[in-house]
Amino acid sequence: TEIDWKAYMQQVSQYLDGERDYTLIKGGTGPLVYPAAHVYIYSVLYKLTDGGQNILLAQAIFAWLYLGILTIVMACYRMAKAPPYIFPLLIVSKRLHSIFLLRLFNDCFAVAFLFLAIYAYQHRIWTVGSVAYSFGVGTKMSLLLAGPAVGIILLQALPLRRALNAAFLMAQVQLTIAWPFIPRNPIGYISRAFEFSRQFLYKWTVNWRFLDEETFRSREFAIALVSTNLGFLALFAATRWLKPSRQSISQFFMAMWKPRPLLVQQQVSLRVTASFIMTSTLTSMMIGLLCARSLHYQFYAYIAWSTPFLLWKSKMHPAGIYAVWAAQEWAWNVYPSTKASSAVVVGCLFIQVVGVWWGTREDDANARAPNDRNDQTHEHVH
């Protein structure tokens, strides 16, 4: 079960030995294909666990990580006014426990930064949220899937200058963590840390097993997935994510270059509620995962804690929420994946994306974020 853990340890040992060319860092599963924050996190774990040999200690660390993230996730749910009856679904996933305690995947840290960012944004602590999100992207680029929603949230919650400052801060975080590797081989770092042209093996796919291998590998299928992804993002941006500004996409982008009057900006910002932030961010992630070229088992870390909330936002009956969750949990626990399990994986993701779009059609654009001291104290992004 520790195949990936061993590869991580082999890779970071080369970094600790002084290697700074990303293209030369390799492990048992192949070259290093994660951004630099992953290297720093697992370098700390390497030192704490005697070069990765003390796996029991590593599992204990991940157990505490799991409990810490679970606490943050539940706090996010409470901020978004989620009902108590969906909370049990956050703690009973066998596959999620395996991802944390048996496989020790870096996705565990990435999802931690994702929910930390959501929590900070819900409390209108924009700087902390932006740093957390960027560090999560620097751990694994899967978090880029939430990028469209994060950008739209910031552009509505903050004046343009401060939203751009937040974007610049995220870029600074990326540059800072990459800096030790940039002088040696900048192109090599970018191409490996953010490798968009990676070839996926059909035998490991969890989501597209019900297709034949020729279709799975085809360029036409890849283009169809990208097009579907962009289509869903455009649909949600046009009909759901711009509700706080009460503008169309064209009006929104045209108005970006003309600062809103202070009173109007405050009104728009207050309509960016804790529920809106969480719904938009998790929906953006689910759209990306639904249209992913290939999902592996560790990607369930992003799904397991998102599904209960998104199904609730779809206005689904509690019995339906539990049924879809159970079907999805079953599918992700089938190993190796089958045609039936992969069809259920894709079907459940599709239900969540379409369901949340339908369920939020009547969400009140007049809803307001809590008008407390956080609005004034933490509104600024430095």
Side-chain angles (χ1 to χ4, degrees), residues 70-119:
L70 181 60
T71 301
I72 297 172
V73 170
M74 288 185 171
C76 292
Y77 271 57
R78 287 193 63 187
M79 281 293 294
K81 296 181 172 56
Y85 65 78
I86 64 174
F87 278 62
L89 299 179
L90 300 176
I91 61 176
V92 294
S93 171
K94 177 183 176 182
R95 173 56 67 186
L96 187 62
H97 295 162
S98 172
I99 290 169
F100 274 83
L101 298 181
L102 296 181
R103 303 305 298 271
L104 313 177
F105 282 120
N106 60 354
D107 302 82
C108 303
F109 290 95
V111 77
F113 289 115
L114 174 65
F115 277 98
L116 182 60
I118 291 173
Y119 180 80

Side-chain angles (χ1 to χ4, degrees), residues 353-365:
V353 171
V354 174
V356 77
W357 180 80
W358 179 256
T360 56
R361 67 193 184 281
E362 296 178 354
D363 276 12
D364 186 6

Side-chain angles (χ1 to χ4, degrees), residues 240-315:
R240 298 295 182 268
W241 295 346
L242 294 180
K243 280 189 174 183
S245 67
R246 299 174 179 173
Q247 293 175 315
S248 66
I249 291 182
S250 59
Q251 291 172 331
F252 178 75
F253 283 105
M254 289 181 64
M256 279 177 52
W257 309 112
K258 183 180 179 181
R260 301 184 184 101
L262 180 59
L263 181 59
V264 173
Q265 176 58 51
Q266 290 175 340
Q267 292 172 340
V268 172
S269 181
L270 288 175
R271 289 193 289 267
V272 179
T273 64
S275 180
F276 175 83
I277 289 169
M278 187 155 167
T279 304
S280 303
T281 304
L282 296 184
T283 301
S284 188
M285 284 293 300
M286 288 305 106
I287 290 171
L289 293 171
L290 171 63
C291 302
R293 189 71 170 80
S294 182
L295 294 179
H296 298 165
Y297 287 99
Q298 57 265 41
F299 283 88
Y300 196 54
Y302 310 103
I303 296 172
W305 281 325
S306 302
T307 293
F309 182 79
L310 294 180
L311 291 177
W312 170 66
K313 290 297 293 186
S314 72
K315 304 296 192 297

Side-chain angles (χ1 to χ4, degrees), residues 151-162:
I152 290 176
I153 288 168
L154 292 174
L155 285 169
Q156 293 180 101
L158 299 171
L160 178 61
R161 180 179 62 82
R162 294 176 186 165

